[in-house]
Each structure stands twice: as C-alpha cells, then as structure tokens.
Amino acid sequence: MRPWWEVGVLYQIYPRSFQDSNGDGIGDLAGISARLDYLVDLGIDALWISPIFPSPMADFGYDVADYCDVDPRFGTLADLDRLIEAAHARGLRVLLDLVPNHSSDQHPWFVESRSSRTNPRRDWYIWRDPAPGGGPPNNWISDFGGPAWDYDEATGQYYSHAFLKEQPDFNWRNPALRAAMMDVLRFWFDRGVDGFRIDVLWHMVKAADFRDNPVNPAYSPEMGDMHRVLQTHSTDQPEVHAIAAEMRAIAEANGGRLLIGEIYLPVDRLMAYYGTADAPGVQLPFNFQLIDAPWRADALAEIVRSYEAALPPGGWPNWVLGNHDRPRIATRVGEAQARVAAMLLLTLRGTPTLYYGDEIGIADVVVPAAQVKDPRELREPGLGLGRDPVRTPMAWDAGPHGGFSDGEPWLPLHDDAAIRNVAKQAADPAAMLPLYRDLLALRRTHGALATGDIADITGTDDILSYARTENGECLLIALNLSGGERRFVLPDNMEHPRLLLSTVPDWRRGDEDGDGRTILLAPDEGVILLNE
Ligand code: TEU
Ligand code: CA
C-alpha cells in the first residue's frame, strides 16, 4: 500500500488570505473550516496551512513566539482542533508549518537567552563575540538584506539571524533546544496533525567555525543584498541530516506522518534531504525547479529527466508551481500557459502542491507602496522581491471583497475579483477552476496519472510530452508551450488515442494529415490522451 501522500495532492493555504470569519480583514481558522467543502469538491487530499502560531507578525507568522498555541488573530487551539476534526471527517489531511530555524525575538526562550551570558538558555540561540576589530563576527548576510548579526548592547555579543533581526536563529547544536523542538512535533502529532512543512530546513545548521562565506562573483545589486555572498557556510551543513532523521523517526513513530522540507538547493544537494535507508530524512524535499524554470519544452524536459534520474532509491518526487514567497504562475507564464502549467503539475510523476488562488488564475497583485506589508519589500524596495503581491485574498464570489471578508482586507484583492472568483468560475466551463477540478478528478479515475511510471520525456518543437503507465494503462501528455498551432506526431505505441482532457476545450480538431498519427495542437493547448 502506498502512503496517502504519494497518491494525493497538497494544497497550500496562506491563512491570512483564505477566508475571514469575523470581519477584521484577516483570514482565520474558522474561515478555513467554512471552506473545507470547497477543497473536497476541488479534489485535493491535504491542506498545508502557513504558520498560525502566536506571533508578533514581523514576518507574518514565520516569527513564532509560542510553538504550541494559536495566534488570536487566527483563532484558538479549539478552533484548530475543530478544523482538524472537520477536515478528517471529510477525508482531508492537515499539515502545519514548523519554523525550526528561528523563533521570534519575543519568544520567552529568546527573552531569557538575551538576558545574560550565563542564562541556561543563552546557548539555545547563536551568540558570538564581535570580530577582533569590532563589528559582526563574520560576513554572513541575512536573506532579507543587511548583516545576519545583531548586536546586543547589554551582553556585548552578536546573535545570528538568517532573516529579520526579529527572527533569531536557534542553535541546533544545543541538545536541550533540540529536545524542546522535538517535543513540539509530538505536541501537534498528539493533536492529530498529519504532518509538517518544515521552514528553511537547509538553513538549520551553520558551520561550527563560522567561516566567512565566499563572495559571489555573479552578484549585482538588483539581485538583492543576500546574493553578495554564497551561503556556503551558513546553510546546508552535513549535521542537518541527523536532525531531519530524528524528526522523521518521530513522524514514523506516530503512524507515518508526513514531513516536507522547504529547501532551495541545486538538485544534487537537494537529494541528500531524502536521507538514507538507515536514516531517512523528510519524505518530500520540496522540488522548486518549476518555479524558476525557463518556460520552454526543451528546458522543462531536461528538468524532469534529470530530476527523475537524480532521485535516490525509493525517493518519491514532488512538484510545485508557486508558493507564498514566489511570483504566481499566471504572472510568470500568462493565463493561457497557466492552464498548460496546471496540466503539467498534475500529470508529472510525484506529489503536486497547489498554491491557493492559482486554481482561479489569480495573478500577482500590484500593491500600492502605501499598503505594502511585507518586510522583504520594505527593507529592499523596488527590486521585485516583495511577497505581498502573491499573498492577496482569495475571491469566493462577486460580493464585497470577493466574499473574503466583511471588513477591509489586509491586502487588496485582484482587480478582476468580480469576475475571477470561485462562484463565477464554477459556472463557466472555460474558466480555470473547472480545469483544475477535471485534472484532479482524472488523477483519481486514472491511477497512472498519480502513481504510474513516467517515460519518453521529450521536449522538441515547443511540445513537452511524456507517457504515464501503470497496470497496463498508458496515458500520453502533450503540452504546447507556444502561442502558435503545433503538429504533434503520436508515438507508434499509441494505437488508439482517446482525448481525455484538453486545456482548450472548444478547439475543433480534424485529422490534419489524414494518417491518424498527427494531431494539431491549438495555441497554448495541453492534452491528455489515453491509449485504448
Ligand atoms: O522562506 C525561505 C525563502 O524563501 C528564502 O530563503 C529565500 O531563498 C530568500 O528569501 C530569497 O528571497 C521561508 C518562508 O517560506 C518565508 O515566508 C519566510 O519569510 C522565511 O522562510 C523565514 O521564515
Ligand atoms: Ca479574521
């Protein structure tokens, strides 16, 4: 029996923006509970909710002040219990977002840690003396710009922060900290949480000698300050794998809960996060390649082939088109290709993760300077690094604020929310939402799409194609990545092709070459064919 997460589809919810239930303009847990039936109809299997823990919100919840409670803005622990129960009753799994690299500077542990050099929790965070001539201990740079070190006047040392200074890094080399964080996993597993997405897993351990990072020869200012150095010594250290393995052991001891690692690394280094047979790591190290990929058939074919080839024995693949940090797919490739991208995501071998709102084709929303909330944008404005544009509220209907909230939403909705919303699209067969529903339904009726082998991965003449096979069933996917018509010659082994789904449903197709072996793909058309 395959585990559920190999077969299933994950759906990321940014909780501030999914559904507000009390009119304060901020989405909440009761709001998510009210939309569970939508998720069931859509056809997903599990939801991952970005952090909902008590937080000063310096980084919108990725600065946690208490790992075992719920922020009042999102509701209460009881609301979360109700959400988990209601989700489970519908066959949906619930994943939370574990943020183990850093806490909030308001977390009682950090308050204690900074209180004196001799405090028992001093060593739970990373404290270093100033460099010999004064100044930060080394040249490490925060991912959000500026030194990765902040000076504490009172105790005369610097603490490390890979992100904001309000997000001090934990010292995972300290056994007591490590044990305390492992208890956090157990706490949530006991409450019925089905797994975690683990924030910045590859950041968790820093080189013990705190060597300077090498200067990045390719740096230019528009890349953002963090790119001035390569994160050679501040990330991806060998010791991280034992930590992942310990988390995995806890997940297994609780009946096989799921761990997903957020890891931005080249494929060869990413693969190490699957762990080994003796010390398995996370089940799914997030594969973000489609987020940065050039949208070309040859490039995508090479990405799929080389990723498949690099997987360790037993390693299950996964694919992602977008998340709360990166530009939305509709903006990157345009609406017509976003349909093709949906077909790609949901027909590749491996667990797909959808990002809320992509199923109705929301694009990046231009947020006026005065309304910017994201510290990433506020610290390095104008470089396009801000994340507000991809975190805007979901649109449910044509009512005020798209049915997201009775009050003023924390971020503006997309301009076309009156027509780009769930209710409108549900009634329009040509819209994005029915395509997502059809794709998700097809994965259930044709198991080969979910778990079958993948073969014949080809990218030529603007067409990306591949076959999925399982138990004698064979499906062929052909995706036209261009805005022009393209002829696609069927492989010889495709004897009786039947069109199961097209991203261009009204396309009138003839037998163009009269040979039954060539099909004419519409501009921006993807098709799924079944060999009968
Ligand atoms: O993001 C990590 C992440 O996206 C960065 O390491 C990225 O490479 C860098 O910011 C370049 O832009 C996670 C969360 O997803 C994000 O929302 C948090 O802000 C961050 O960690 C800190 O917890
Ligand atoms: Ca609310």
Side-chain angles (χ1 to χ4, degrees):
M1 255 294 272
R2 284 177 178 273
W4 66 267
W5 48 266
E6 287 191 7
V7 188
V9 177
L10 314 178
Y11 182 96
Q12 181 188 357
I13 290 179
Y14 195 69
R16 289 183 81 86
S17 293
F18 199 60
Q19 176 69 66
D20 177 21
S21 71
N22 63 353
D24 65 357
I26 297 175
D28 45 50
L29 292 173
I32 298 173
S33 288
R35 294 298 183 182
L36 289 176
D37 288 330
Y38 164 76
L39 297 175
V40 172
D41 288 347
L42 180 60
I44 56 109
D45 298 272
L47 40 141
W48 145 37
I49 310 172
S50 284
I52 41 77
F53 315 107
S55 167
M57 302 288 167
D59 190 21
F60 294 101
Y62 286 94
D63 49 324
V64 177
D66 180 350
Y67 286 91
C68 297
D69 204 349
V70 169
D71 190 282
R73 276 162 281 218
F74 296 124
T76 63
L77 214 41
D79 289 326
L80 184 55
D81 288 340
R82 272 192 288 274
L83 168 57
I84 293 169
E85 199 188 322
H88 287 172
R90 290 164 173 79
L92 295 173
R93 271 33 188 233
V94 179
L95 309 177
L96 296 185
D97 203 321
L98 186 70
V99 189
N101 175 71
H102 47 264
S103 71
S104 161
D105 64 345
Q106 304 301 304
H107 195 295
W109 295 342
F110 187 71
V111 173
E112 283 186 49
S113 182
R114 82 182 308 165
S115 67
S116 86
R117 288 200 189 198
T118 54
N119 184 277
R121 292 218 167 84
R122 182 67 166 182
D123 187 49
W124 284 33
Y125 294 84
I126 299 174
W127 291 96
R128 306 286 292 170
D129 289 334
N138 66 22
N139 73 348
W140 294 358
I141 298 171
S142 152
D143 276 24
F144 292 161
W149 298 96
D150 205 60
Y151 188 61
D152 180 60
E153 291 283 347
T155 59
Q157 284 188 313
Y158 283 86
Y159 66 88
S160 147
H161 56 89
F163 296 90
L164 299 174
K165 70 173 170 35
E166 292 84 358
Q167 295 167 294
D169 291 335
F170 282 125
N171 175 19
W172 274 88
R173 297 177 187 276
N174 179 295
L177 172 275
R178 182 163 164 165
M181 289 301 284
M182 294 300 167
D183 283 344
V184 171
L185 275 88
R186 294 188 186 93
F187 173 87
W188 291 112
F189 287 157
D190 287 348
R191 291 195 100 89
V193 167
D194 298 286
F196 288 100
R197 174 266 193 189
I198 304 174
D199 191 57
V200 295
L201 176 58
W202 85 113
H203 270 269
M204 282 174 63
V205 183
K206 287 83 170 118
D209 60 3
F210 293 92
R211 259 173 298 172
D212 270 1
N213 273 328
V215 166
N216 177 5
Y219 169 72
S220 66
E222 71 278 3
M223 297 163 81
D225 197 45
M226 68 173 282
H227 294 289
R228 282 199 286 129
V229 297
L230 303 171
Q231 298 186 329
T232 313
H233 304 303
S234 52
T235 66
D236 194 31
Q237 296 301 299
E239 295 91 337
V240 74
H241 298 296
I243 297 170
E246 187 177 349
M247 291 179 169
R248 174 68 179 276
I250 295 170
E252 291 301 334
N254 283 273
R257 315 283 171 114
L258 173 62
L259 298 180
I260 308 170
E262 187 209 19
I263 303 152
Y264 286 95
L265 283 176
V267 168
D268 56 325
R269 285 156 70 195
L270 178 68
M271 291 303 164
Y273 288 77
Y274 280 102
T276 60
D278 291 340
V282 297
Q283 291 99 323
L284 299 177
F286 257 144
N287 168 22
F288 291 128
Q289 291 183 91
L290 293 181
I291 290 187
D292 293 317
W295 207 250
R296 293 196 326 262
D298 55 344
L300 291 172
E302 180 50 28
I303 283 173
V304 178
R305 272 194 302 259
S306 55
Y307 175 75
E308 284 279 347
L311 284 167
W316 183 250
N318 76 87
W319 298 95
V320 189
L321 288 176
N323 60 39
H324 63 297
D325 297 327
R326 296 298 162 113
R328 281 194 183 264
I329 186 69
T331 294
R332 282 189 286 128
V333 302
E335 176 146 28
Q337 279 296 317
R339 297 174 65 86
V340 176
M343 186 171 276
L344 174 68
L345 177 69
L346 292 169
T347 59
L348 282 173
R349 191 178 84 105
T351 304
T353 303
L354 312 185
Y355 185 50
Y356 87 97
D358 282 354
E359 75 272 32
I360 56 172
I362 297 179
D364 291 3
V365 175
V366 178
V367 176
Q371 288 179 59
V372 168
K373 302 283 189 304
D374 182 17
R376 187 87 183 87
E377 178 68 22
L378 293 169
R379 290 177 54 83
E380 293 186 88
L383 299 179
L385 300 171
R387 302 164 299 180
D388 292 333
V390 309
R391 298 174 172 182
T392 57
M394 184 68 174
W396 298 99
D397 54 46
H401 312 304
F404 164 70
S405 174
D406 295 335
E408 191 58 31
W410 77 290
L411 281 177
L413 278 85
H414 43 292
D415 284 343
D416 55 349
I419 47 168
R420 186 179 300 284
N421 60 60
V422 167
K424 269 268 188 331
Q425 291 205 355
D428 173 6
M432 188 74 88
L433 184 59
L435 174 66
Y436 266 91
R437 284 186 175 152
D438 288 349
L439 284 164
L440 287 158
L442 266 191
R443 287 175 64 92
R444 292 183 196 274
T445 47
H446 297 277
L449 283 178
T451 53
D453 293 338
I454 188 165
D456 305 329
I457 305 158
T458 312
T460 45
D461 302 330
D462 296 325
I463 299 170
L464 173 65
S465 65
Y466 43 91
R468 301 294 312 278
T469 54
E470 188 174 68
N471 300 331
E473 186 182 53
C474 176
L475 296 108
L476 188 76
I477 293 89
L479 308 173
N480 179 359
L481 299 200
S482 82
E485 294 176 2
R486 289 291 181 274
R487 280 180 151 64
F488 178 63
V489 182
L490 294 167
D492 293 341
N493 60 4
M494 173 119 296
E495 279 150 18
H496 304 287
R498 177 157 73 89
L499 179 66
L500 290 182
L501 188 61
S502 164
T503 64
V504 185
D506 55 356
W507 178 244
R508 304 246 169 270
R509 197 184 322 270
D511 180 6
E512 302 307 322
D513 297 356
D515 62 355
R517 306 307 305 159
T518 309
I519 60 171
L520 188 66
L521 294 173
D524 305 299
E525 184 184 27
V527 294
I528 303 176
L529 303 165
L530 175 68
N531 194 11
E532 284 187 328

